[in-house]
Amino acid sequence: MTKRSFYGIMLLASIVVTLGSCLGHDDDYVYYDDAAITSFTLTAANEYTTTTGSDGKVSTTKTELTPSSYRFHINQVSREIYNTDSLPSGTDSKHILVSIVTKMGGTVYLKSMKSDSLSVYSSNDSIDFSQPRTFYVLSHSGKVRSQYLVKVNVHRQDGEKTGWSTPGTAEPAKEYTEGMKMAAAGGRMFLFGNNGTATEGCATDLADGKTWTPLTPNIEGGLDAEAYKSLTAQGEKLYILSSGKLYSSADGENWDEVATTTMKQLLGATPSHLYALTAEGTIETSDDGGKTWTAEQVDGDASMLPTRDISLCYNKLVTNENAYQVIIIGNGDDDNPSKARIWGKIEENDEYAQPGAWTSLGDYDGNMYPAPALSGLHTVAYDKGFIALGGHGLGTFEAEPFGNIYKSVDGGLSWRTDHGMTLPTEFSFTGDTFAMTADDANNIWIVCGQSGQVWRGRLNRLGWDEND
């Protein structure tokens, strides 16, 4: 026998002995006492969305959720499992599939919602998570049992819908028959309007909206009839232009004269600059609260700047905290418009930044969603974009009065109907005189002329606490 054959026989014998040892002694099998859930993952759930068409018919659409979008956290101290990013409000929480992984092969049991009975968990069986559920993990050895409380959070509101309330009536607004404008500053909402001969104002606390107190400006002779158009808020201050003088105030009643000017209208403000329209139809800006003014560069035909129903809005750039995207939008004097006039610029406030030029936006062939030409047009910055509302359509722009809220998410280039942001069904209105603005809490405020009706609404998801 060769040496190689001898070693082969010895190796085979050792394997046989080893297998015999393993198969003949069950007490050598290792059992583990660990009882813990190490992973909890959503694998399937459906969202149901109900919509009502223009014909009044109600339809329901089913959408499969993307499981990876919703992460579940496991607190091993409190033995709680939950998702911080809630599932959409239309989720069928009674039929959800989940995947559960345990440590060392522990067995998972689900406690009944009606009794103390337990059933073995299966990843193929849907589970009712309409209320918190209790799971148990039994260790491999059968000696240790751990209990977990699982909460599947589902939004009670549709984040893309707008919730409205009507806190009260702005009685003074019933007299503002020729136009109105609103601005929020210092924890209060201010409303100024034209009563036919002069500008008057009133105010309410932002937390109220029910009681609107008439204001008595300390300006000799009062505010002229066009002054309301210039109402502007910057930080805690209000600014207004009347009879060739620029004023500032902290309360809407005590006004300080800032400068004498030939400006036609104060357009609005960013945190750094005031903007105004000159009598010659150009734009000027001030970075010292209106004391001095500098001409702005207009890249294009300045005669095409808006002349009425003007709003100035801005959004902070995500790429530069000291820069803003600013737009001016409004109607022109043309008799048969097809769209509103909108201009924009980038305002940079770094030390060595160069002034940007105003350019016309959305004025190009093939734009299927131009800025809406609506009577009494009001526009505000909202939800990282801009929203616009107005009365009847002007010229060739066909629109029902207050039929839609339009939104632009591309800096004002295109404006589409926002089907999530709709006016309340109880909204009723005659005429085109109204005011709209937004406050720092993402509330949209609308005050209707003649009736003085006040509406306050917010896109639901903008009211959710991010920590929740």
Side-chain angles (χ1 to χ4, degrees):
M1 180 183 292
T2 65
K3 184 181 294 185
R4 179 177 298 177
S5 300
F6 176 80
Y7 284 125
I9 294 173
M10 292 299 294
L11 177 60
L12 179 60
S14 66
I15 293 174
V16 172
V17 172
T18 302
L19 286 174
S21 175
C22 292
L23 294 174
H25 299 280
D26 290 339
D27 56 348
D28 287 342
Y29 193 85
V30 178
Y31 294 91
Y32 298 97
D33 292 334
D34 299 280
I37 293 176
T38 57
S39 174
F40 188 98
T41 308
L42 174 72
T43 57
N46 294 320
E47 176 190 3
Y48 292 87
T49 305
T50 302
T51 57
T52 303
S54 57
D55 57 359
K57 292 184 178 180
V58 178
S59 60
T60 302
T61 303
K62 182 179 77 171
T63 304
E64 294 183 3
L65 298 182
T66 304
S68 59
S69 300
Y70 304 95
R71 179 185 176 189
F72 281 79
H73 298 267
I74 303 175
N75 187 327
Q76 298 292 6
V77 177
S78 63
R79 299 292 188 182
E80 290 182 314
I81 301 174
Y82 54 91
N83 54 315
T84 54
D85 187 6
S86 298
L87 305 183
S89 61
T91 300
D92 179 7
S93 60
K94 293 186 177 182
H95 301 89
I96 293 178
L97 292 178
V98 296
S99 172
I100 301 176
V101 178
T102 60
K103 190 174 183 180
M104 297 301 181
T107 304
V108 179
Y109 295 89
L110 174 63
K111 182 177 178 292
S112 171
M113 299 172 68
K114 299 179 180 180
S115 67
D116 291 333
S117 63
L118 302 177
S119 60
V120 178
Y121 149 80
S122 171
S123 61
N124 296 319
D125 295 336
S126 66
I127 300 174
D128 184 349
F129 283 105
S130 59
Q131 66 186 52
R133 300 300 303 272
T134 300
F135 285 78
Y136 293 96
V137 182
L138 185 65
S139 67
H140 196 204
S141 66
K143 298 178 181 179
V144 179
R145 187 183 74 170
S146 296
Q147 176 179 325
Y148 287 83
L149 184 65
V150 179
K151 301 176 183 178
V152 176
N153 296 312
V154 178
H155 280 302
R156 288 173 292 179
Q157 297 176 318
D158 184 339
E160 299 306 319
K161 299 295 183 182
T162 306
W164 293 94
S165 65
T166 174
T169 300
E171 291 292 336
K174 294 180 179 180
E175 305 298 323
Y176 307 162
T177 56
E178 302 301 317
M180 299 189 296
K181 191 173 182 181
M182 277 195 295
R188 303 178 75 194
M189 182 61 71
F190 296 88
L191 173 67
F192 282 71
N194 183 338
N195 64 8
T197 58
T199 291
E200 294 182 347
C202 58
T204 186
D205 289 339
L206 287 176
D208 182 21
K210 180 178 181 180
T211 305
W212 293 76
T213 305
L215 301 172
T216 307
N218 63 336
I219 297 174
E220 185 177 354
L223 297 169
D224 67 38
E226 301 295 307
Y228 76 94
K229 297 179 181 179
S230 293
L231 180 66
T232 295
Q234 186 183 58
E236 301 293 304
K237 278 188 176 183
L238 294 174
Y239 290 88
I240 205 164
L241 188 63
S242 177
S243 302
K245 294 181 179 180
L246 178 65
Y247 299 92
S248 67
S249 173
D251 59 10
E253 292 192 302
N254 298 291
W255 295 87
D256 297 320
E257 183 178 332
V258 177
T260 300
T261 178
T262 58
M263 299 292 181
K264 179 182 178 181
Q265 181 180 334
L266 197 59
L267 296 174
T270 66
S272 306
H273 289 74
L274 294 173
Y275 292 91
L277 188 67
T278 69
E280 293 77 23
T282 59
I283 303 174
E284 293 194 357
T285 185
S286 171
D287 60 3
D288 59 5
K291 296 176 183 177
T292 60
W293 293 83
T294 304
E296 287 275 276
Q297 180 182 349
V298 176
D299 187 6
D301 185 1
S303 67
M304 294 305 294
L305 288 168
T307 56
R308 57 194 176 101
D309 305 324
I310 305 174
S311 299
L312 183 144
C313 315
Y314 69 89
N315 279 311
K316 182 181 291 186
L317 292 183
V318 296
T319 56
N320 186 343
E321 64 178 10
N322 293 319
Y324 303 92
Q325 179 188 42
V326 191
I327 67 167
I328 296 173
I329 179 172
N331 294 312
D333 294 324
D334 41 330
D335 296 328
N336 194 34
S338 60
K339 55 182 174 291
R341 299 180 180 183
I342 177 168
W343 291 67
K345 66 167 285 186
I346 300 299
E347 176 193 290
E348 295 185 274
N349 296 289
D350 293 329
E351 184 177 357
Y352 300 105
Q354 297 298 313
W358 291 92
T359 57
S360 180
L361 303 177
D363 190 14
Y364 58 89
D365 294 336
N367 186 358
M368 299 177 60
Y369 305 98
L374 303 170
S375 59
L377 180 67
H378 277 68
T379 309
V380 298
Y382 195 75
D383 189 29
K384 300 179 182 179
F386 305 103
I387 60 172
L389 178 67
H392 65 274
L394 299 176
T396 59
F397 191 89
E398 298 181 0
E400 292 292 329
F402 305 97
N404 296 302
I405 293 178
Y406 298 85
K407 185 174 184 180
S408 175
V409 296
D410 57 8
L413 294 175
S414 59
W415 297 77
R416 291 175 171 84
T417 298
D418 191 317
H419 296 287
M421 297 187 66
T422 56
L423 292 174
T425 54
E426 301 86 357
F427 185 89
S428 59
F429 191 74
T430 57
D432 294 332
T433 302
F434 78 106
M436 180 178 74
T437 193
D439 60 27
D440 290 339
N442 295 313
N443 291 305
I444 303 168
W445 292 70
I446 299 176
V447 178
C448 303
Q450 299 179 359
S451 68
Q453 189 178 52
V454 179
W455 288 96
R456 183 170 56 201
R458 180 168 57 193
L459 197 60
N460 288 333
R461 61 178 165 78
L462 298 183
W464 296 340
D465 187 345
E466 292 186 1
N467 292 326
D468 291 339

